[in-house]
Amino acid sequence: MALKYCQSHKCHTYDTKDRKRGSKSNRVNQTRRRSEFYYGGGNFCSMNCYNDWASDFMDRAIDQVSGRIVEPITLTEENAWQKRYRYNWREGGGYDMGYFWYNSVSERTIDITKEEFDTQSQPRL
Ligand SMILES: [Zn+2]
């Protein structure tokens, strides 16, 4: 199990027992290190650390990585397809899985196989 560090540049500034390292005379606080984190896509040890990072770097991440949204993005019939599944309950017990494409604009459905569910990225129209 690989350990990773919290990605906040301020993690070490929080004064908690688990961040302390060294003996009494030369004690320091360190960035937290864990096998798993649960904030910010698994990159931050706490909501505080995530917020510290976001307030200093989020604008740059949006402008330079994802691109800033400056006009609304629209959901249309063409880009509204989602893969879904349902339990088809059998009379007398048990069920089969049903797989289908669902268009949240037109509400049209297209039944597909499990293999198509696993492999298709767009419905075959
Ligand atoms: Zn942290």
Side-chain angles (χ1 to χ4, degrees):
M1 136 184 108
L3 297 176
K4 57 186 180 179
Y5 289 101
C6 172
Q7 293 303 300
S8 171
H9 56 308
K10 292 183 178 173
C11 189
H12 64 286
T13 65
Y14 290 96
D15 197 30
T16 60
K17 263 189 185 162
D18 70 302
R19 289 179 170 97
K20 293 195 186 305
R21 294 290 182 278
S23 58
K24 216 166 203 170
S25 57
N26 61 349
R27 186 157 289 167
V28 295
N29 283 8
Q30 273 190 355
T31 301
R32 271 186 176 148
R33 193 177 187 204
R34 298 274 187 284
S35 59
E36 256 186 286
F37 294 124
Y38 303 98
Y39 301 92
N43 288 300
F44 302 96
C45 73
S46 67
M47 207 61 196
N48 280 337
C49 280
Y50 183 36
N51 287 338
D52 288 340
W53 183 91
S55 64
D56 286 351
F57 302 117
M58 189 65 84
D59 278 339
R60 278 162 59 191
I62 290 171
D63 288 329
Q64 294 171 23
V65 181
S66 65
R68 186 165 294 274
I69 294 169
V70 293
E71 56 188 44
I73 300 171
T74 306
L75 188 68
T76 62
E77 192 169 339
E78 289 69 42
N79 65 11
W81 290 101
Q82 305 169 336
K83 280 188 276 190
R84 293 187 176 182
Y85 60 87
R86 68 169 90 80
Y87 296 89
N88 297 321
W89 299 97
R90 284 190 229 118
E91 233 174 273
Y95 62 87
D96 299 307
M97 295 303 296
Y99 301 92
F100 60 103
W101 283 99
Y102 175 72
N103 191 299
S104 56
V105 171
S106 67
E107 300 185 347
R108 183 177 163 199
T109 63
I110 301 171
D111 288 328
I112 54 177
T113 65
K114 167 82 167 102
E115 194 194 338
E116 289 169 330
F117 183 88
D118 291 338
T119 58
Q120 287 184 347
S121 57
Q122 287 294 313
R124 225 173 273 135
L125 299 173

